[in-house]
Amino acid sequence: MLYRKPLNKLRKFLRKQGFLRVGVFSAFFLGTVLYSWIALSQQPVTLNLLMTAPDAQPWQQGIVRDFEAKNPDIRINIIEGPNATNLLEDLYTSAFILGDSPYDLINMDVIWTPKFAAAGWLVDLTDRMSPEELAAFSSADIEGSRYEGRLYRIPMRSDVGMLYYRTDLLEQAGLEPPETFADLIQVSQTLQQKDLVNWGYVWQGRQYEGLVAMFIEVLEGFGGFWVNPENLEVGLDRPETVQAIAFLKDTIRQGISPPGVTTYQEEETRRFFQSGQVAFLRNWPYVWPLAQEEGSPLQGRIAIKPMVGSAGRTGGASLGGWGLGISTSTRHPEEAWRAIQYFTSEEAQKNFVLNAGFVPSRRALFTDPEIVAEYPHYPQLLEVVQQAVLRPPIAQYAQTSDILQRYLSAALTNRMSAEQAMQAAANETRRLLNRG
Ligand code: GLC
């Protein structure tokens, strides 16, 4: 009996201790959960963005770093894809078709807008920007961002096909820059005969999207057309298309363009031109700063002009360009919109243009003093951009382009005659468009 009391006390004490331990443990556990939850909720949101590998570099160097410094709650994860717009489009497309696409932002070529919008893969941005804000962009870029009257993409940079030429060679030979296709052939031959240069002209002849972007310029220069987006009329089996192909084939046949030109994309032609072996190049504005950089044999020796046309006609300029859209599958649409606002802002574009030589989509930047000091040809470029030709903005663009790429390539590499190839391309395109 005597030892009972202290024993009870001890039991009570231990029980208390137990409660205490459970209490301490629970508080610790809850604290940890709370802490991790707070920590997790403060983790920056990551936005995934896929783009071609050469584009990734200027993004990573400047504007992404600046954006993240200003927005510590958002990280931009750039994924480097293949260097061809159609291959990149395939990657985006398969991700959307499989569902649960990992991409929050979409860096979109101007030609993708109708297809992606029609498929329901893009957030409608129409109410996000006022008409006054939109008016600051070049109208062709905004048109290329709409589908059925709604806006799905904000232009980040424009692009326009043009003709580069060697001013030093023309001066040496006492020649003027060409105005027509015939001039281009003639001047090239003269420069080659005088042994001033190995080749006359390089263009993108490989079977891919760049072939079509280049071809519509020549087609426009001959007065032809591909598909009229208003009524889906197809113009490929008209004589102008055959003339346009004949011009390109002539450049190879006459030794003005190397036979390998039918395997070249933009970068192969740019490197060839930059090595000093060619007098004329068809390409986009990104070539300019590369050709003018320290150590380039072309520094101070090149100029640009709009693509030539047939006698009496001005040449065509293909409208390219890239813009940003938001994927409907993103869990972070607000953060994605903040990123778009920054990347398409005047500040970010200016930085991007000065670094990478891209063409702005904001009109004011074409005449910005700092930009003009670096690129004196930009004010003139705005006119070219405004008059540039859109590849047909239709939802079936990817298949339409694929048909033309295949038959054009067959004609250029002599696997089919131009007439046969274009008749087949026209028939296939009509079948596709009538179906859809
Ligand atoms: C450039 C243009 C793009 C075009 C592509 C073709 O990237 O900006 O619009 O489709 O070249 O290769």
Side-chain angles (χ1 to χ4, degrees):
M1 288 301 240
L2 271 178
Y3 52 84
R4 258 227 173 119
K5 259 191 182 167
L7 204 64
N8 279 344
K9 265 191 184 163
L10 185 68
R11 266 194 204 128
K12 263 189 198 158
F13 175 75
L14 283 179
R15 222 179 290 140
K16 251 193 201 159
Q17 282 283 304
F19 281 141
L20 206 68
R21 225 176 296 139
V22 170
V24 166
F25 178 75
S26 308
F28 177 73
F29 177 73
L30 282 176
T32 314
V33 169
L34 199 69
Y35 177 79
S36 334
W37 182 76
I38 291 171
L40 269 180
S41 62
Q42 283 177 348
Q43 283 275 317
V45 161
T46 299
L47 300 176
N48 290 320
L49 174 57
L50 169 72
M51 62 181 66
T52 65
D55 269 11
Q57 216 191 359
W59 272 79
Q60 272 152 344
Q61 273 167 4
I63 48 177
V64 166
R65 203 189 41 214
D66 295 349
F67 173 75
E68 289 180 343
K70 289 186 171 64
N71 298 272
D73 58 327
I74 307 178
R75 287 276 150 282
I76 305 290
N77 178 32
I78 297 216
I79 301 150
E80 296 187 18
N83 182 21
T85 176
N86 42 302
L87 299 181
L88 203 65
E89 183 186 1
D90 290 348
L91 288 184
Y92 271 121
T93 301
S94 42
F96 287 126
I97 287 176
L98 291 172
D100 207 20
S101 144
Y103 309 117
D104 303 278
L105 286 165
I106 310 171
N107 187 36
M108 293 167 60
D109 192 338
V110 63
I111 49 177
W112 304 352
T113 317
K115 169 178 158 183
F116 282 27
W121 298 334
L122 300 175
V123 172
D124 185 340
L125 304 175
T126 315
D127 301 327
R128 298 266 190 173
M129 271 204 179
S130 68
E132 294 73 44
E133 283 175 297
L134 286 181
F137 292 87
S138 83
S139 52
D141 291 326
I142 293 294
E143 277 327 298
S145 303
R146 290 194 206 275
Y147 178 65
E148 296 194 334
R150 312 292 297 174
L151 186 75
Y152 291 95
R153 160 191 185 271
I154 309 294
M156 156 86 188
R157 67 175 176 95
S158 195
D159 226 356
V160 66
M162 56 182 61
L163 187 67
Y164 288 79
Y165 62 94
R166 292 276 303 274
T167 47
D168 58 335
L169 301 182
L170 290 182
E171 258 162 47
Q172 265 172 278
L175 296 169
E176 288 298 314
E179 292 300 330
T180 62
F181 295 118
D183 286 352
L184 182 59
I185 291 197
Q186 180 84 62
V187 174
S188 295
Q189 278 173 334
T190 310
L191 296 174
Q192 285 173 290
Q193 276 153 13
K194 287 186 186 272
D195 240 352
L196 289 171
V197 76
N198 295 343
W199 300 100
Y201 181 42
V202 281
W203 41 277
Q204 295 79 44
R206 191 196 190 107
Q207 184 183 323
Y208 79 121
E209 180 58 33
L211 171 65
V212 162
M214 175 283 303
F215 184 67
I216 61 160
E217 295 169 356
V218 182
L219 190 57
E220 172 89 5
F222 278 101
F225 71 98
W226 177 9
V227 173
N228 177 344
E230 302 296 321
N231 55 13
L232 301 187
E233 193 190 341
V234 177
L236 292 181
D237 46 0
R238 296 163 66 105
E240 296 86 3
T241 322
V242 174
Q243 286 167 14
I245 297 179
F247 161 72
L248 291 170
K249 287 180 71 162
D250 267 358
T251 66
I252 307 176
R253 201 171 42 83
Q254 303 197 28
I256 289 161
S257 304
V261 81
T262 54
T263 63
Y264 292 171
Q265 295 192 185
E266 284 88 353
E267 267 300 82
E268 285 88 15
T269 58
R270 197 266 303 169
R271 282 194 220 106
F272 206 174
F273 180 65
Q274 198 163 329
S275 72
Q277 301 179 65
V278 192
F280 298 99
L281 161 76
R282 182 272 166 205
N283 214 318
W284 309 96
Y286 83 96
V287 168
W288 185 272
L290 297 174
Q292 297 286 20
E293 75 194 355
E294 260 329 288
S296 158
L298 300 193
Q299 215 180 14
R301 297 176 168 189
I302 57 168
I304 54 150
K305 70 186 298 292
M307 179 48 68
V308 294
S310 56
R313 285 196 66 92
T314 50
S318 186
L319 184 81
W322 295 78
L324 292 168
I326 303 178
S327 150
T328 36
S329 61
T330 183
R331 281 180 289 132
H332 313 292
E334 288 317 310
E335 286 84 356
W337 177 244
R338 272 165 58 199
I340 291 187
Q341 278 177 305
Y342 182 72
F343 292 135
T344 61
S345 69
E346 200 163 314
E347 175 193 332
Q349 268 200 27
K350 185 166 169 175
N351 183 333
F352 198 47
V353 167
L354 285 172
N355 270 332
F358 290 138
V359 181
S361 59
R362 286 182 173 273
R363 288 188 290 142
L365 291 178
F366 283 88
T367 48
D368 177 279
E370 260 179 88
I371 292 188
V372 176
E374 184 85 22
Y375 310 116
H377 56 293
Y378 271 29
Q380 178 204 347
L381 209 62
L382 177 61
E383 270 168 53
V384 187
V385 169
Q386 299 284 28
Q387 288 163 14
V389 204
L390 267 177
R391 283 158 280 174
I394 50 175
Q396 306 93 325
Y397 178 77
Q399 292 115 295
T400 308
S401 171
D402 184 65
I403 296 171
L404 182 55
Q405 288 168 36
R406 277 189 282 116
Y407 286 107
L408 199 50
S409 175
L412 292 171
T413 55
N414 300 319
R415 282 176 285 134
M416 283 176 102
S417 74
E419 288 82 0
Q420 274 175 337
M422 287 304 113
Q423 190 59 62
N427 294 346
E428 231 176 271
T429 309
R430 288 193 186 107
R431 274 200 300 277
L432 167 80
L433 298 181
N434 290 340
R435 255 206 324 264

